[in-house]
Amino acid sequence: MNDRTKAIITSWTDTIRNGMITIDKGGLGVTVLVDPETEIFKGIITDGDIRRALLKGHGFEEPIIRIIKEGYITATTETTHQELLDLFNQTIRIIPILDKKNRVVDIAAFDKKRFLPVAEPSIGEKEWQYVSECILSGWVSSTGKFVTQFEKLFADFCQAKHAITTSSGTTALHLALLAADIGPGDEVLVPTLTFIATANAVTYTGAKPVFVDSEPGTWNIDPAKIEASITSRTKAIIPVHLYGHPADMGTIKKICKKRNLILIEDAAEAHGAQYDGAPVGGLGDLGIFSFFGNKIMTTGEGGMVVTNNDEYAAKIRVLRDHGMDKNKRYWHPVLGYNYRLTNVQAALGVAQVEKIEQILAKKRANAKLYSEKLLNVAGVTLPGEMFYAKNVYWLYSILINESEFGLTRDMLMKKLQERGIETRQLFYPVHSQPIYATGESFPVAENISRCGLSLPSSVKLTEKSICEIAETIKNLAE
Ligand SMILES: Cc1ncc(COP(=O)(O)O)c(C=O)c1O
């Protein structure tokens, strides 16, 4: 169950009073009753239902289930978007989505106001055309012309010798680490401010992720803090080009050279970003990308490893395919994985790479407009672009200084949500996550994480919407 749904849940054994409190806090005018043990759906109650029940003489402390009325509408995880739209009417504005066991997994909310999402894929005619062509050809699994074409186009895009498709950015990271022989006993430096997959991939190999604090200006791994974290066990560094801004690769490369460390770029969020005019991904020994649905370009789920090293590339191709000998079918000299991308996904990928320059231009134009409109709003720190960088602004993200702005980051997010503007908090630093909690403190990353939020960053955003979002933020500050 997601947070938005949790916010309107009441236990079916609870009182009318507590149901009213949930309705009040949830802000959607309804509460969904569930069995707290099983999350099984029991009914839905609106603020109007409660008002009518109280007028009829029901008391605040009575069980809320007593006033439940039949006739509510639910949908399932199989219900299509269009079917959902058809279910809404003058009175039905919230529809619980149930799984096969009748458990509440989500809610659909009808919002007649606009809704501006943080991210959405840009899928057009070419994507339809290539995917249909792929399906009609019958080559729907991981062999086919689109996989080859996608790898070739993407290698060119990164100005790298090899690009190898994988099933996700996470599996790309795992394979990159395995290709570099990283395993038990090794340490790998990662920024603590990143999506957890960067650290998890290190853990999958048996090595230990060692966390490094962030630079205040770029939010990326702070090169000045890297050397202090290197030990005799350190084997690699994974800088992450967070939210589309390249890490300081020049300085990091020098450290890697001096200390004989392998450099793996996590470019999951930074397709097309540049360091000193060169595209990220091919700047180190290995680089990885994610094509998850919210990324700059997408294949639904998917990833890519990029490298200029022939040996790494060959090893990754074997590991990706069950460790099978290239020349001997069903013969597996090493432990491998099934981390392949399908030809159908690659068909999407080809269409996306073909228009990547348009996507990047729109991302940068959106960011420029946001920055112009939000410049000089007290308490708002805008994303930067260092002298060496081309930032691709995967998600246009800002920091809120509560005392100058007048609202906390969370209050601002809530108020924007109420106005149909989706935002997203930044990642929690990995060292604070339950599975990695080390008790260490990384104050810069912690502060960025606490104060940061991403604004709608879709390439479908109009200039008018960006101006409205910026205006709303300014008005909320005043
Ligand atoms: C920095 C970073 N690394 C790795 C990943 C993992 O990519 P995926 O979700 O495709 O496995 C992500 C994506 O979400 C990411 O943001």
Side-chain angles (χ1 to χ4, degrees), residues 168-170 173 194-195 197-198 240 266 268-269 290-292 295 302 427:
S168 70
T170 309
L173 268 171
T194 181
F195 181 61
T198 317
V240 179
D266 182 340
E269 306 174 359
S290 163
F291 304 122
F292 182 65
K295 293 298 187 293
F427 302 121

Side-chain angles (χ1 to χ4, degrees), residues 114 416 419 421 467-477:
R114 67 183 166 186
L416 291 173
R419 290 159 177 78
I421 301 168
C467 293
E468 275 175 24
I469 295 166
E471 205 51 41
T472 310
I473 294 173
K474 263 194 223 171
N475 292 340
L476 287 168

